[in-house]
């Protein structure tokens, strides 16, 4: 796919990404927005997204994000990034449905049998949607601001170049982006590793209360609404907890849950080497990647861990055979 070709006849373009946008979602959505703004000034472009976390403050034009859809608008092209399921662009789904042409740029394996746009570029072997997006852009039209966005997505979805989704292509692209003059150290520190004092406290608490199960091959921890209220944090500030759980010695699967409503939890799952957490998430109506997936589930923590545990057991016992 070539973005210039796709937008050749477009006068109006809308862009969005998934609910609870992470670094790859913010990076790809804003990377494309800034690319169109800079290189195709005749196109009227709107960007729709849930408010990104404070750690993405350095991304250019973040203040141009519209949090509420203009449902009367009929875009010539509407582009969805980093999203495997139309359900996950819900607040802006009407813009998608109204559009004359729709495009999806993504890298979720769970998107493959679910292609929901007119034109789908889904590359499950790519580290990030930012990596997929990069391949659709002209290298010489990428400036420092656009490079910062794309680099952000790549470091977030690769855990700073260490998850198995990182390839030599990922590294080559990162190198090209570095050559645009970005402050890569600052981007990594400020958007990925930096935690507030409160975030560290709640991380400590989640670790303290974590529980090993299935012969210490799995670990989970949950944060309840009352705790989030006590610390004054929302879901956006709980990033990094799952990552620390995953690093526990001997653990193959980490699960982190936080309460989003009455008997409702946002569940994150990560695996290290062989368990496919995406298929478990898909089984319960969520999605993601083989080593990182998520889902919203109903029930108590006990119910949810029991239900996921049964699926994990199926995979573990198939491997043990
Ligand atoms: P996280 O655990 O960081 O929220 O998400 C891990 C991966 O799973 C990301 O690629 C994210 O897009 C995907 N994911 C998380 N929650 C959901 C969900 O409820 N539905 C789907 N389809 N994917 C999800
Ligand atoms: Mn992604």
């Amino acid at each position: 796919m070539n973005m210039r070709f796709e937008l050749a006849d477009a006068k109006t373009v809308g862009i969005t990404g998934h609910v609870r946008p992470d670094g790859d979602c913010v990076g790809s959505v804003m990377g494309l927005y800034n690319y169109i703004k800079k290189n195709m000034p005749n196109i009227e472009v709107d960007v729709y997204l849930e408010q990104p976390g404070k750690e993405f403050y350095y991304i250019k034009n973040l203040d141009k994000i519209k949090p509420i859809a203009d449902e009367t608008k009929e875009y010539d092209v509407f582009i969805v990034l980093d999203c495997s399921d139309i359900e996950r662009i819900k607040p802006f789904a009407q813009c998608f449905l109204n559009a004359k042409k729709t495009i999806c740029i993504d890298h979720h394996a769970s998107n493959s049998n679910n292609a929901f746009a007119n034109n789908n570029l889904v590359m499950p072997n790519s580290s990030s949607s930012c990596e997929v997006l990069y391949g659709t852009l002209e290298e010489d039209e990428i400036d420092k601001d656009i490079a910062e966005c794309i680099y952000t997505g790549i470091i977030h979805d690769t855990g700073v170049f260490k998850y198995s989704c990182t390839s030599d292509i990922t590294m080559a692209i990162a190198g090209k982006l570095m050559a645009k003059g970005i402050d890569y150290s600052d981007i990594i520190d400020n958007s990925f590793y930096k935690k507030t004092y409160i975030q560290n406290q709640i991380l400590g608490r989640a670790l303290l209360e974590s529980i090993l199960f299935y012969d210490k091959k799995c670990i989970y921890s949950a944060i309840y609404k009352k705790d989030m209220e006590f610390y004054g944090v929302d879901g956006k500030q709980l990033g990094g907890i799952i990552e620390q759980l995953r690093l526990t010695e001997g653990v193959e699967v980490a699960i982190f849950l936080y309460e989003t409503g009455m008997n409702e939890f946002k569940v994150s799952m990560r695996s290290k080497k062989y368990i496919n957490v995406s298929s478990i998430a898909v089984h319960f109506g969520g999605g993601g990647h083989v080593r990182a997936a998520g889902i919203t589930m109903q029930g108590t923590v006990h119910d949810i861990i029991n239900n996921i545990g049964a699926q994990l057991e199926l995979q573990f016992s198939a491997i043990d055979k």
Side-chain angles (χ1 to χ4, degrees):
M1 185 186 287
N2 177 286
M3 196 51 71
R4 272 217 166 267
F5 176 79
E6 293 297 327
L7 302 183
D9 302 320
K11 292 193 174 56
T12 58
V13 172
I15 305 175
T16 196
H18 62 75
V19 289
R20 302 192 193 101
D22 58 5
D24 188 31
C25 182
V26 175
S28 56
V29 164
M30 293 310 296
L32 179 56
Y33 177 80
N34 286 321
Y35 184 86
I36 296 173
K37 273 276 177 203
K38 172 176 185 278
N39 299 302
M40 305 170 198
N42 295 331
I43 294 181
E44 184 195 315
V45 53
D46 290 323
V47 55
Y48 296 105
L49 203 62
E50 208 177 290
Q51 182 64 42
K54 286 195 181 69
E55 65 272 31
F56 301 114
Y57 68 92
Y58 57 88
I59 293 220
K60 188 180 177 181
N61 282 328
L62 213 59
D63 58 333
K64 302 293 188 308
I65 290 175
K66 298 181 184 215
I68 296 170
D70 180 352
E71 299 200 337
T72 61
K73 232 160 164 172
E74 291 180 19
Y75 290 100
D76 293 334
V77 183
F78 196 77
I79 308 171
V80 180
L81 292 120
D82 198 39
C83 185
S84 56
D85 186 338
I86 190 166
E87 276 294 300
R88 302 193 79 215
I89 58 161
K90 218 166 198 171
F92 314 113
Q94 197 57 45
C95 294
F96 178 91
L97 296 172
N98 292 349
K100 297 193 186 103
K101 176 167 103 175
T102 56
I103 295 175
C104 174
I105 293 177
D106 187 28
H107 70 128
H108 289 90
S110 57
N111 194 328
S112 317
N113 24 6
N114 188 27
F116 58 85
N118 302 134
N119 201 344
N120 300 279
L121 181 63
V122 181
M123 301 180 71
N125 292 327
S126 289
S127 67
S128 51
S129 296
C130 278
E131 184 175 322
V132 183
L133 172 68
Y134 179 90
T136 72
L137 308 179
E138 303 290 339
E139 154 71 19
D140 58 352
E141 291 182 332
I142 297 176
D143 66 6
K144 179 168 173 264
D145 298 321
I146 301 161
E148 283 177 349
C149 297
I150 299 175
Y151 192 83
T152 297
I154 292 178
I155 60 154
H156 276 256
D157 266 21
T158 59
V160 192
F161 308 115
K162 70 170 185 167
Y163 298 149
S164 57
C165 61
T166 313
S167 71
D168 54 337
I169 299 166
T170 317
M171 301 309 284
I173 295 172
K176 298 250 187 209
L177 298 171
M178 286 166 82
K180 302 281 178 183
I182 61 172
D183 193 337
Y184 45 87
S185 305
D186 263 11
I187 294 176
I188 293 171
D189 270 349
N190 293 337
S191 81
F192 193 83
Y193 287 113
K194 191 168 74 186
K195 297 277 172 267
T196 62
Y197 176 67
I198 293 292
Q199 281 179 305
N200 276 337
Q201 283 199 313
I202 202 156
L203 164 68
R205 172 142 179 193
L207 298 178
L208 197 66
E209 293 178 0
S210 64
I211 294 174
L212 286 162
F213 68 107
Y214 203 78
D215 207 16
K216 300 184 183 166
K217 287 188 200 142
C218 304
I219 191 166
Y220 79 88
S221 190
I223 295 284
Y224 293 86
K225 256 203 154 132
K226 63 173 174 25
D227 305 317
M228 292 166 72
E229 278 158 18
F230 176 80
Y231 289 102
V233 296
D234 60 21
K236 268 186 240 164
Q237 288 156 277
L238 301 178
I241 296 178
I242 184 74
E243 173 58 16
Q244 196 56 44
L245 290 170
R246 190 190 77 98
L247 287 170
T248 312
E249 190 175 12
V251 157
E252 168 62 18
V253 177
I255 306 170
F256 175 66
L257 311 87
Y258 70 86
E259 197 177 15
T260 46
M262 185 74 175
N263 270 343
E264 186 188 88
F265 289 82
K266 166 73 180 63
V267 181
S268 285
M269 293 186 282
R270 301 289 184 269
S271 62
K272 261 193 208 140
K273 289 248 179 275
Y274 53 90
I275 293 292
N276 181 343
V277 287
S278 171
S279 69
I280 298 176
V282 168
H283 178 83
F284 292 111
H289 312 283
V290 182
R291 305 276 173 261
I295 179 180
T296 298
M297 286 178 79
Q298 317 295 324
T300 63
V301 169
H302 187 253
D303 296 336
I304 293 171
I305 294 299
N306 265 343
N307 289 334
I308 293 177
Q311 294 301 312
L312 283 171
E313 194 160 350
L314 289 175
Q315 285 199 34
F316 276 118
S317 51
I319 289 160
D320 291 343
K321 265 183 201 149

